[in-house]
Amino acid sequence: MRRLLLSGLGALPAALRAAPAGLNGRAVRGGRPAAAPEDGLSGTGGTAPAPDRHRPSPGRGRGDTVRAWTELFRVSALFSVPGDALAGAAAVGRSPGRGTALAIGASLCLYEAGMALNDWADREEDAVDRPHRPIPSGRISASAALGAAGALTAAGLALAARAGRPALAVATGLAATVWAYDLHLKHTKAGPAAMAAARSLDLLLGATATATATSTATATAYAGTGPGPRATRRMRLGAVPPTGPDNVARAAGPARSPLAALPAALVLGAHTYGVTAVSRHEAQGGSTAVPLAVLATTTALAAAVLATHQRQRPGEPATPGLAATAPGSSYRPDHPHHPAAPAMPYLGAPQPGTHRPHHHPTAPATPDLGAPLPGTYRPSHHAHRPTAPALTPLLLTAFTGAYLRTAGPPLLHAALNPSPPLTQRAVGGGIRAMIPLQAALATRAGAPGSGLAVMALVPLARSLARKVSPT
């Protein structure tokens, strides 16, 4: 009996060697290795994807690569960028145009350059704290991330250069701030201030690019081909500058310096300072005072945005710098449609019933519609004004409330329980809260349409944040 038992045990290893083995010791069904579960983890403390997951099969290679780059660029945070340029354009009293579009493109490139450079600079730290990130997990090489950061920086500066030299100067300062933050300032006390400066410069970039392009289009529309009768005729007709060759919309009021956007830039920078201060604790957590301080700052910023709008005099337009309109009158001395507009400082308009043959050879003896007289009403020009004063405060209140609703509760939760997950959630809420804040700033400056356009990005940002974390 003992001999039979020993012989059976001796044959067992051979039988096991003859049996088909599964991948990584897993069972085999039907003669084929069982598929590895999708949540399989490596031996690095259960936090990193398995190494063999980074060499995908040929059928899944492209999708996995795209996924890795979307994580590196944090594409769900991209929707917080276009509102900077739109708020800057509104702050200088201009409608969005070609210059604004170029500023948005430059901002997106520089923003993504900063994201790639951030992961490249933190690759050793992420290998310990967040090994699932694309670079430490091996899905993207460090050299590829650094190359992407350089290429995107060059593309952003090239787009800014198309908007004019002033815009290029602002974009150069923005790029230098981004690189300085990621490479050195991030781990110093100056880190939050540097990030706040970058966001403020981004809004100023939109203001500068829009104002520069609009001024160029206006000069082109009025310059003509020289000092001859053709150029003079266009001036005397009192025509509003048409949409120029660079597709810049008509100015909403007198030209203002891009420095007029500085208050809005400071508000956005203060919010960014708070978000960056909270993000310094998102890996380890443990800070209660910082989320509470940032929550108080967020409330103060919302109150400041509303108070600035409420301090305007009755009948004063929402856009700063525009003169007030007398009750019951449509006459606005600084409006480009009227004789005293800055665009036509020395030219009058024909009186009702007059006829100017040298300007209107075929015109009937009817009042010229180029410049309405004081106290008159032109439905074609002012049909929207009766609803604007009532609509703007409502939108501003709604956008400011959305800002508080997005940023406030996550900060409160992080203060009550400063764990890494709740701290990261507070950072993500702060990033998404920039969108309603930008909408509120644009609306406060008299551009409710731009505010609505910015708020339209909120559902997209929220949907994509469920798939790709913004932090």
Side-chain angles (χ1 to χ4, degrees), residues 146-232:
L146 182 60
L152 287 169
T153 301
L157 294 177
L159 289 173
R162 300 270 322 255
R165 291 183 180 180
L168 176 60
V170 176
T172 301
L174 174 58
T177 304
V178 169
W179 280 73
Y181 173 83
D182 284 333
L183 297 180
H184 176 66
L185 297 177
K186 180 194 309 182
H187 301 292
T188 67
K189 294 182 179 180
M195 184 59 72
R199 183 63 76 160
S200 297
L201 285 172
D202 197 35
L203 188 145
L204 292 176
L205 173 60
T208 304
T210 304
T212 302
T214 304
S215 300
T216 302
T218 304
T220 302
Y222 282 121
T225 57
R230 180 178 178 84
T232 306

Coordinates of all heavy atoms in Angstrom, one line a residue, residues 146-232:
L146 N 7.5 65.5 -22.6 CA 8.3 66.8 -22.7 C 8.3 67.3 -24.1 O 8.1 68.6 -24.3 CB 9.8 66.5 -22.3 CG 10.7 67.7 -22.3 CD1 10.2 68.8 -21.3 CD2 12.1 67.3 -21.9
G147 N 8.3 66.5 -25.2 CA 8.2 67.0 -26.5 C 6.9 67.6 -26.8 O 6.8 68.6 -27.5
A148 N 5.8 67.0 -26.3 CA 4.5 67.5 -26.5 C 4.4 68.9 -25.8 O 3.7 69.8 -26.4 CB 3.4 66.6 -25.9
A149 N 5.0 69.1 -24.6 CA 4.9 70.3 -24.0 C 5.6 71.4 -24.8 O 5.1 72.5 -24.9 CB 5.6 70.2 -22.6
G150 N 6.8 71.1 -25.4 CA 7.5 72.1 -26.2 C 6.7 72.4 -27.5 O 6.6 73.6 -27.8
A151 N 6.2 71.4 -28.1 CA 5.4 71.7 -29.4 C 4.2 72.5 -29.1 O 3.9 73.4 -29.9 CB 5.1 70.3 -30.0
L152 N 3.4 72.2 -28.1 CA 2.2 73.0 -27.8 C 2.6 74.4 -27.4 O 1.8 75.3 -27.7 CB 1.4 72.3 -26.6 CG 0.7 71.0 -27.1 CD1 0.2 70.2 -25.8 CD2 -0.4 71.3 -28.0
T153 N 3.7 74.6 -26.7 CA 4.1 76.0 -26.3 C 4.4 76.8 -27.6 O 3.9 77.9 -27.7 CB 5.3 75.9 -25.4 OG1 5.0 75.2 -24.2 CG2 5.7 77.4 -25.1
A154 N 5.1 76.2 -28.5 CA 5.4 76.9 -29.8 C 4.1 77.2 -30.6 O 4.0 78.3 -31.1 CB 6.3 76.0 -30.6
A155 N 3.2 76.2 -30.6 CA 1.9 76.4 -31.3 C 1.1 77.6 -30.7 O 0.5 78.4 -31.3 CB 1.1 75.2 -31.3
G156 N 1.1 77.6 -29.3 CA 0.4 78.7 -28.7 C 0.9 80.1 -28.9 O 0.2 81.0 -29.2
L157 N 2.3 80.2 -28.9 CA 2.9 81.5 -29.2 C 2.6 81.8 -30.7 O 2.5 83.0 -31.0 CB 4.4 81.4 -28.9 CG 4.7 81.2 -27.5 CD1 6.2 81.1 -27.3 CD2 4.2 82.4 -26.6
A158 N 2.6 80.9 -31.6 CA 2.4 81.2 -33.0 C 1.0 81.7 -33.2 O 0.8 82.7 -34.0 CB 2.6 79.9 -33.9
L159 N 0.0 81.1 -32.5 CA -1.4 81.6 -32.6 C -1.5 83.0 -32.1 O -2.2 83.9 -32.6 CB -2.3 80.7 -31.9 CG -2.6 79.3 -32.6 CD1 -3.4 78.4 -31.7 CD2 -3.3 79.5 -34.0
A160 N -0.8 83.3 -30.9 CA -0.9 84.6 -30.3 C -0.3 85.6 -31.2 O -0.7 86.8 -31.3 CB -0.2 84.6 -29.0
A161 N 0.8 85.2 -31.9 CA 1.5 86.2 -32.9 C 0.5 86.6 -34.0 O 0.6 87.7 -34.5 CB 2.7 85.5 -33.4
R162 N -0.3 85.7 -34.4 CA -1.3 86.0 -35.5 C -2.3 87.1 -35.0 O -2.9 87.8 -35.8 CB -2.1 84.8 -35.9 CG -1.3 83.7 -36.4 CD -1.0 83.7 -37.9 NE -2.1 84.1 -38.7 CZ -2.9 83.3 -39.5 NH1 -2.7 82.0 -39.4 NH2 -3.8 83.8 -40.2
A163 N -2.5 87.2 -33.7 CA -3.4 88.3 -33.1 C -2.7 89.6 -32.9 O -3.4 90.6 -32.6 CB -4.0 87.8 -31.8
G164 N -1.4 89.7 -33.1 CA -0.7 91.0 -33.0 C 0.4 90.9 -32.0 O 0.5 90.0 -31.2
R165 N 1.3 91.9 -32.1 CA 2.4 91.9 -31.2 C 2.1 92.1 -29.7 O 2.7 91.4 -28.8 CB 3.4 93.0 -31.6 CG 4.1 92.8 -32.9 CD 5.1 93.9 -33.2 NE 5.8 93.6 -34.5 CZ 6.7 94.4 -35.0 NH1 7.0 95.5 -34.4 NH2 7.3 94.1 -36.2
P166 N 1.1 92.9 -29.4 CA 0.7 93.0 -27.9 C 0.2 91.6 -27.4 O 0.6 91.2 -26.3 CB -0.4 94.0 -27.9 CG -0.2 94.9 -29.1 CD 0.4 93.9 -30.2
A167 N -0.6 90.9 -28.2 CA -1.0 89.6 -27.7 C 0.1 88.6 -27.6 O 0.2 87.8 -26.7 CB -2.1 89.0 -28.7
L168 N 1.1 88.7 -28.5 CA 2.3 87.8 -28.4 C 3.1 88.1 -27.1 O 3.6 87.2 -26.5 CB 3.2 88.0 -29.6 CG 4.5 87.2 -29.6 CD1 4.2 85.7 -29.5 CD2 5.3 87.5 -30.9
A169 N 3.2 89.4 -26.8 CA 3.9 89.8 -25.6 C 3.2 89.2 -24.3 O 3.9 88.6 -23.4 CB 4.0 91.3 -25.4
V170 N 1.9 89.2 -24.3 CA 1.2 88.7 -23.1 C 1.3 87.1 -23.1 O 1.5 86.5 -22.1 CB -0.3 89.1 -23.2 CG1 -1.1 88.4 -22.0 CG2 -0.4 90.6 -23.1
A171 N 1.2 86.5 -24.3 CA 1.3 85.1 -24.4 C 2.7 84.6 -24.0 O 2.9 83.5 -23.4 CB 1.0 84.6 -25.8
T172 N 3.8 85.4 -24.3 CA 5.1 85.0 -23.9 C 5.3 85.0 -22.4 O 5.9 84.1 -21.8 CB 6.1 86.0 -24.6 OG1 6.0 85.9 -26.0 CG2 7.5 85.6 -24.2
G173 N 4.7 86.1 -21.8 CA 4.7 86.1 -20.3 C 3.9 84.9 -19.7 O 4.4 84.3 -18.7
L174 N 2.8 84.6 -20.3 CA 2.0 83.4 -19.8 C 2.8 82.1 -20.0 O 2.8 81.3 -19.0 CB 0.7 83.3 -20.6 CG -0.2 82.1 -20.4 CD1 -0.6 82.0 -18.9 CD2 -1.4 82.2 -21.2
A175 N 3.5 81.9 -21.1 CA 4.2 80.7 -21.3 C 5.4 80.6 -20.3 O 5.7 79.5 -19.8 CB 4.7 80.6 -22.7
A176 N 6.1 81.7 -20.1 CA 7.2 81.7 -19.1 C 6.7 81.4 -17.7 O 7.4 80.7 -17.0 CB 7.9 83.1 -19.2
T177 N 5.5 81.9 -17.4 CA 5.0 81.6 -16.0 C 4.6 80.2 -15.9 O 4.9 79.5 -14.9 CB 3.7 82.5 -15.8 OG1 4.1 83.9 -16.0 CG2 3.2 82.3 -14.4
V178 N 4.1 79.6 -17.0 CA 3.7 78.1 -16.9 C 4.9 77.3 -16.7 O 5.0 76.4 -15.9 CB 2.9 77.8 -18.2 CG1 2.8 76.3 -18.3 CG2 1.6 78.4 -18.2
W179 N 6.0 77.5 -17.5 CA 7.2 76.7 -17.4 C 7.9 76.9 -16.1 O 8.4 76.0 -15.5 CB 8.1 77.0 -18.6 CG 7.7 76.3 -19.8 CD1 6.6 76.6 -20.6 CD2 8.3 75.2 -20.5 NE1 6.6 75.8 -21.7 CE2 7.6 74.9 -21.6 CE3 9.5 74.5 -20.1 CZ2 8.0 73.9 -22.5 CZ3 9.8 73.4 -21.0 CH2 9.1 73.1 -22.1
A180 N 7.9 78.2 -15.6 CA 8.5 78.4 -14.3 C 7.8 77.7 -13.2 O 8.4 77.2 -12.2 CB 8.6 79.9 -14.0
Y181 N 6.5 77.7 -13.3 CA 5.7 77.0 -12.2 C 6.0 75.5 -12.2 O 6.2 74.9 -11.2 CB 4.2 77.3 -12.4 CG 3.3 76.5 -11.5 CD1 3.1 76.9 -10.2 CD2 2.7 75.3 -12.0 CE1 2.2 76.2 -9.4 CE2 1.9 74.6 -11.1 CZ 1.7 75.0 -9.8 OH 0.9 74.3 -9.0
D182 N 5.9 74.9 -13.4 CA 6.0 73.5 -13.4 C 7.4 73.0 -13.1 O 7.6 71.9 -12.4 CB 5.6 73.0 -14.8 CG 4.1 73.0 -15.0 OD1 3.4 72.8 -14.1 OD2 3.7 73.1 -16.2
L183 N 8.4 73.7 -13.5 CA 9.8 73.3 -13.3 C 10.4 73.7 -11.9 O 11.3 73.0 -11.4 CB 10.7 73.8 -14.4 CG 10.4 73.4 -15.8 CD1 11.3 74.0 -16.8 CD2 10.4 71.9 -15.9
H184 N 9.9 74.7 -11.3 CA 10.5 75.1 -10.0 C 9.5 75.7 -9.0 O 9.5 75.2 -7.9 CB 11.6 76.2 -10.3 CG 12.2 76.8 -9.1 ND1 13.0 76.0 -8.2 CD2 12.1 78.0 -8.5 CE1 13.4 76.7 -7.2 NE2 12.9 77.9 -7.3
L185 N 8.7 76.6 -9.4 CA 7.9 77.3 -8.4 C 6.8 76.5 -7.8 O 6.3 76.9 -6.7 CB 7.2 78.6 -9.1 CG 8.2 79.6 -9.6 CD1 7.4 80.7 -10.3 CD2 9.1 80.2 -8.5
K186 N 6.4 75.4 -8.4 CA 5.3 74.6 -7.9 C 5.5 74.2 -6.4 O 4.6 74.2 -5.6 CB 5.1 73.4 -8.8 CG 4.0 72.5 -8.3 CD 4.1 71.1 -9.0 CE 4.2 71.3 -10.5 NZ 4.2 70.0 -11.2
H187 N 6.7 73.8 -6.1 CA 7.0 73.3 -4.7 C 7.6 74.3 -3.8 O 8.2 74.0 -2.8 CB 8.0 72.1 -4.8 CG 7.5 71.0 -5.7 ND1 6.5 70.2 -5.3 CD2 7.9 70.5 -6.9 CE1 6.2 69.3 -6.3 NE2 7.1 69.5 -7.3
T188 N 7.3 75.6 -4.1 CA 7.7 76.7 -3.3 C 6.5 77.4 -2.8 O 5.4 77.2 -3.2 CB 8.7 77.6 -4.0 OG1 7.9 78.3 -5.1 CG2 9.9 76.9 -4.6
K189 N 6.7 78.4 -1.9 CA 5.6 79.2 -1.4 C 5.0 80.1 -2.5 O 3.9 80.5 -2.3 CB 6.1 80.0 -0.2 CG 6.4 79.2 1.0 CD 6.8 80.1 2.2 CE 7.2 79.3 3.4 NZ 7.6 80.1 4.6
A190 N 5.8 80.3 -3.5 CA 5.3 81.2 -4.6 C 4.4 80.4 -5.6 O 4.0 81.0 -6.6 CB 6.5 81.8 -5.3
G191 N 4.2 79.1 -5.4 CA 3.5 78.3 -6.4 C 2.1 78.8 -6.6 O 1.7 79.0 -7.8
P192 N 1.2 79.0 -5.6 CA -0.1 79.5 -5.8 C -0.2 80.8 -6.5 O -1.0 81.1 -7.4 CB -0.7 79.5 -4.4 CG 0.0 78.5 -3.6 CD 1.4 78.6 -4.2
A193 N 0.8 81.7 -6.1 CA 0.8 83.0 -6.8 C 1.2 82.9 -8.2 O 0.6 83.7 -9.1 CB 1.8 83.9 -6.0
A194 N 2.1 82.0 -8.6 CA 2.5 81.9 -10.0 C 1.3 81.3 -10.8 O 1.0 81.8 -11.9 CB 3.7 80.9 -10.1
M195 N 0.6 80.4 -10.3 CA -0.6 79.8 -11.0 C -1.7 80.9 -11.1 O -2.4 81.0 -12.2 CB -1.1 78.6 -10.3 CG -2.3 77.9 -11.0 SD -1.8 77.3 -12.7 CE -0.7 76.0 -12.3
A196 N -1.9 81.7 -10.1 CA -2.9 82.7 -10.2 C -2.5 83.8 -11.2 O -3.3 84.2 -12.0 CB -3.0 83.4 -8.8
A197 N -1.2 84.1 -11.3 CA -0.7 85.0 -12.3 C -0.9 84.4 -13.7 O -1.3 85.2 -14.7 CB 0.8 85.3 -12.1
A198 N -0.7 83.1 -13.9 CA -0.9 82.5 -15.2 C -2.4 82.6 -15.7 O -2.7 83.0 -16.8 CB -0.5 81.0 -15.2
R199 N -3.4 82.4 -14.7 CA -4.8 82.5 -15.1 C -5.1 83.9 -15.4 O -5.9 84.2 -16.3 CB -5.6 81.9 -14.0 CG -7.1 81.9 -14.3 CD -7.5 81.0 -15.5 NE -7.4 79.6 -15.2 CZ -8.0 78.7 -15.9 NH1 -8.8 79.0 -16.9 NH2 -7.9 77.4 -15.6
S200 N -4.6 84.9 -14.6 CA -4.9 86.3 -14.9 C -4.3 86.7 -16.3 O -5.0 87.4 -17.0 CB -4.3 87.2 -13.8 OG -4.9 86.9 -12.5
L201 N -3.1 86.3 -16.6 CA -2.6 86.6 -17.9 C -3.4 86.0 -19.0 O -3.5 86.6 -20.1 CB -1.1 86.1 -17.9 CG -0.1 86.9 -17.2 CD1 1.3 86.2 -17.2 CD2 0.1 88.3 -17.8
D202 N -4.0 84.8 -18.8 CA -4.8 84.2 -19.8 C -6.0 85.1 -20.1 O -6.4 85.2 -21.3 CB -5.2 82.8 -19.4 CG -5.7 82.0 -20.5 OD1 -5.1 82.1 -21.6 OD2 -6.7 81.2 -20.3
L203 N -6.6 85.7 -19.1 CA -7.8 86.6 -19.4 C -7.3 87.8 -20.1 O -7.9 88.3 -21.0 CB -8.5 86.9 -18.1 CG -9.8 87.7 -18.2 CD1 -10.8 87.2 -17.1 CD2 -9.6 89.2 -18.1
L204 N -6.2 88.4 -19.7 CA -5.6 89.5 -20.3 C -5.2 89.3 -21.7 O -5.3 90.2 -22.6 CB -4.4 90.1 -19.5 CG -4.7 90.7 -18.1 CD1 -3.5 91.1 -17.4 CD2 -5.7 91.9 -18.3
L205 N -4.8 88.0 -22.0 CA -4.5 87.7 -23.4 C -5.7 87.8 -24.3 O -5.7 88.3 -25.4 CB -4.0 86.2 -23.5 CG -3.7 85.6 -24.9 CD1 -2.7 86.5 -25.6 CD2 -3.2 84.2 -24.7
G206 N -6.9 87.3 -23.8 CA -8.1 87.5 -24.6 C -8.5 88.9 -24.8 O -8.9 89.3 -25.9
A207 N -8.3 89.7 -23.7 CA -8.6 91.2 -23.8 C -7.7 91.9 -24.8 O -8.2 92.7 -25.7 CB -8.6 91.8 -22.5
T208 N -6.4 91.5 -24.8 CA -5.5 92.2 -25.6 C -5.7 91.8 -27.1 O -5.7 92.6 -28.0 CB -4.0 91.9 -25.2 OG1 -3.9 92.2 -23.8 CG2 -3.0 92.6 -26.0
A209 N -5.8 90.5 -27.3 CA -6.0 90.0 -28.7 C -7.3 90.6 -29.3 O -7.3 91.0 -30.5 CB -6.0 88.5 -28.7
T210 N -8.4 90.7 -28.5 CA -9.6 91.2 -29.0 C -9.6 92.7 -29.3 O -10.0 93.1 -30.4 CB -10.8 90.9 -28.1 OG1 -10.8 89.5 -27.8 CG2 -12.1 91.3 -28.6
A211 N -9.0 93.4 -28.4 CA -8.9 94.9 -28.6 C -8.0 95.2 -29.7 O -8.3 96.1 -30.5 CB -8.4 95.5 -27.3
T212 N -6.9 94.5 -29.9 CA -5.9 94.8 -30.9 C -6.5 94.5 -32.3 O -6.5 95.3 -33.2 CB -4.6 94.0 -30.8 OG1 -4.1 94.3 -29.5 CG2 -3.6 94.3 -31.9
A213 N -7.2 93.4 -32.4 CA -7.8 93.0 -33.7 C -8.9 93.9 -34.1 O -9.1 94.3 -35.2 CB -8.2 91.5 -33.7
T214 N -9.7 94.3 -33.1 CA -10.9 95.2 -33.3 C -10.4 96.5 -33.8 O -10.9 97.1 -34.7 CB -11.7 95.3 -32.1 OG1 -12.1 94.0 -31.7 CG2 -13.0 96.1 -32.4
S215 N -9.4 97.1 -33.1 CA -8.8 98.4 -33.5 C -8.3 98.3 -34.9 O -8.5 99.3 -35.7 CB -7.7 98.8 -32.6 OG -8.2 98.9 -31.2
T216 N -7.6 97.2 -35.3 CA -7.1 97.1 -36.7 C -8.2 97.1 -37.7 O -8.2 97.7 -38.7 CB -6.2 95.8 -36.8 OG1 -5.2 95.9 -35.8 CG2 -5.6 95.7 -38.1
A217 N -9.3 96.3 -37.4 CA -10.4 96.2 -38.3 C -11.1 97.6 -38.5 O -11.5 97.9 -39.6 CB -11.4 95.2 -37.8
T218 N -11.3 98.3 -37.4 CA -11.9 99.6 -37.4 C -11.1 100.6 -38.3 O -11.6 101.3 -39.1 CB -12.1 100.2 -36.0 OG1 -12.9 99.2 -35.2 CG2 -12.8 101.5 -36.1
A219 N -9.8 100.6 -38.1 CA -8.9 101.4 -38.9 C -9.0 101.1 -40.3 O -9.0 101.9 -41.2 CB -7.5 101.4 -38.3
T220 N -9.0 99.8 -40.6 CA -9.1 99.4 -42.0 C -10.4 99.8 -42.7 O -10.5 100.2 -43.8 CB -9.0 97.8 -42.1 OG1 -7.7 97.5 -41.5 CG2 -9.0 97.4 -43.5
A221 N -11.5 99.7 -41.9 CA -12.8 100.0 -42.4 C -12.9 101.5 -42.8 O -13.6 101.9 -43.7 CB -13.9 99.6 -41.4
Y222 N -12.2 102.4 -42.0 CA -12.4 103.8 -42.2 C -11.2 104.4 -43.0 O -11.3 105.5 -43.5 CB -12.4 104.5 -40.8 CG -13.7 104.4 -40.1 CD1 -13.8 103.9 -38.9 CD2 -14.8 104.9 -40.8 CE1 -15.0 103.8 -38.3 CE2 -16.1 104.9 -40.1 CZ -16.2 104.3 -38.9 OH -17.4 104.2 -38.3
A223 N -10.1 103.7 -43.2 CA -9.0 104.2 -43.8 C -9.2 104.4 -45.3 O -8.7 105.4 -45.9 CB -7.8 103.3 -43.6
G224 N -9.9 103.5 -46.0 CA -10.1 103.6 -47.4 C -8.7 103.3 -48.1 O -7.9 102.6 -47.6
T225 N -8.5 103.9 -49.3 CA -7.3 103.7 -50.0 C -6.4 104.9 -50.0 O -5.4 104.9 -50.6 CB -7.7 103.4 -51.5 OG1 -8.5 104.5 -52.0 CG2 -8.4 102.1 -51.6
G226 N -6.8 106.0 -49.3 CA -6.0 107.1 -49.2 C -6.8 108.3 -48.8 O -8.0 108.2 -48.5
P227 N -6.3 109.5 -48.9 CA -7.0 110.7 -48.4 C -8.0 111.3 -49.5 O -8.4 112.4 -49.4 CB -5.8 111.7 -48.2 CG -4.8 111.3 -49.2 CD -4.9 109.8 -49.3
G228 N -8.3 110.5 -50.5 CA -9.1 111.0 -51.6 C -10.6 111.0 -51.2 O -11.0 110.7 -50.0
P229 N -11.5 111.3 -52.1 CA -12.9 111.4 -51.9 C -13.5 110.2 -51.4 O -14.5 110.2 -50.6 CB -13.5 111.9 -53.2 CG -12.3 112.4 -54.0 CD -11.1 111.6 -53.5
R230 N -13.0 109.0 -51.8 CA -13.6 107.7 -51.4 C -13.6 107.5 -49.9 O -14.6 107.2 -49.3 CB -13.0 106.6 -52.2 CG -13.6 105.2 -51.8 CD -12.9 104.1 -52.6 NE -13.5 102.8 -52.2 CZ -14.5 102.3 -52.7 NH1 -15.3 103.0 -53.6 NH2 -15.0 101.1 -52.4
A231 N -12.4 107.7 -49.3 CA -12.2 107.6 -47.9 C -13.1 108.6 -47.2 O -13.7 108.3 -46.2 CB -10.8 107.7 -47.5
T232 N -13.1 109.9 -47.7 CA -13.9 110.9 -47.0 C -15.4 110.6 -47.1 O -16.1 110.8 -46.1 CB -13.6 112.2 -47.7 OG1 -12.2 112.5 -47.6 CG2 -14.4 113.4 -46.9

